[in-house]
Amino acid sequence: MADMTVCSAAPVTVAVARRTDPARTDEMVAWMRAGTALAEAFPGFLGAGWVRSAPGSGEWHMLYRFADQDMLRRWEESPQRRWWLTSAQGIVEHTRVERRTGVEGWFDPPREEIVERLDATATVPPSPPRWKQAVTIWLAFFPLSLTATLLTGRLLPDLPTAARVLVMTLTLTPLMTYLVLPRITRALHWWLHGQRAPWRIPR
């Protein structure tokens, strides 16, 4: 059976919960915009945004995304970011950090474009339960693996086992990453996130 490994170059999304005095909203917004402007200058930056937990709330959720772990590390260890974080001392309290990458990142709700919403009531959605992620991966991988096993057995019967597994791995990994998993997670989004099935939504 082919072994699926997550490429180290997978994009990384970081969600940070921060708290401030609601009376200092203007300072908070200016501070977050400054951080976004600094991050934009770093290679691999893919976007950023923020939402409030509720109108008038002091709870903020900021998200930023980089192309891979190394590029994210350059930003997080940079003197520019250290200066930016230091500038918020006494204004901002950091309460929680969540990173999503690799297999778990396939199950994130779609975020092709993050928009600044200062009066939003949304919070950062959690990832689906691990058992649902496992079921979804199995539903995608089983038919692919079965098809590849049958084809390689028929077309390459004399190929050594190690070479056959290599062929299957090189073929199935990009298919899973770029074609099958994105489609099946979109199709099962309602189930993964505990929502009502589309056919049960009243018209």
Side-chain angles (χ1 to χ4, degrees):
M1 185 69 67
D3 178 29
M4 289 194 307
T5 57
V6 179
C7 179
S8 61
V12 185
T13 301
V14 181
V16 185
R18 295 184 167 104
R19 186 180 296 113
T20 189
D21 183 346
R24 309 189 76 162
T25 293
D26 290 343
E27 293 174 75
M28 183 68 171
V29 172
W31 179 74
M32 290 188 293
R33 285 177 174 163
T36 300
L38 289 173
E40 286 175 348
F42 281 72
F45 177 77
L46 298 179
W50 56 83
V51 296
R52 295 174 79 175
S53 295
S57 171
E59 186 81 18
W60 295 78
H61 299 277
M62 188 173 186
L63 302 103
Y64 54 92
R65 188 171 178 86
F66 277 80
D68 60 39
Q69 195 70 249
D70 289 337
M71 292 180 175
L72 171 63
R73 187 179 300 110
R74 292 175 193 170
W75 157 245
E76 292 187 329
E77 296 178 355
S78 67
Q80 293 94 321
R81 182 173 181 269
R82 285 197 296 272
W83 170 84
W84 176 65
L85 291 174
T86 302
S87 69
Q89 288 183 357
I91 301 176
V92 179
E93 177 188 356
H94 307 277
T95 59
R96 189 178 69 254
V97 177
E98 179 183 358
R99 295 170 184 265
R100 296 181 179 178
T101 186
V103 173
E104 190 172 1
W106 280 318
F107 300 95
D108 291 344
R111 290 197 190 100
E112 293 181 1
E113 182 177 355
I114 299 176
V115 181
E116 297 177 13
R117 295 163 56 200
L118 301 183
D119 60 349
T121 58
T123 57
V124 179
S127 297
R130 290 299 177 93
W131 70 269
K132 285 190 175 183
Q133 297 182 30
V135 169
T136 303
I137 292 173
W138 180 85
L139 288 173
F141 189 65
F142 174 71
L144 274 181
S145 179
L146 178 61
T147 301
T149 300
L150 293 174
L151 286 177
T152 54
R154 179 183 296 271
L155 301 176
L156 306 169
D158 300 325
L159 199 65
T161 301
R164 189 179 304 176
V165 172
L166 176 63
V167 171
M168 291 173 60
T169 303
L170 293 174
T171 303
L172 297 185
T173 299
L175 283 176
M176 284 285 292
T177 303
Y178 298 108
L179 181 64
V180 180
L181 265 178
R183 290 175 182 243
I184 197 168
T185 52
R186 282 197 297 268
L188 297 179
H189 181 271
W190 60 272
W191 177 72
L192 286 164
H193 296 278
Q195 300 170 357
R196 180 177 294 188
W199 57 84
R200 297 181 60 185
I201 298 177
R203 299 292 181 182

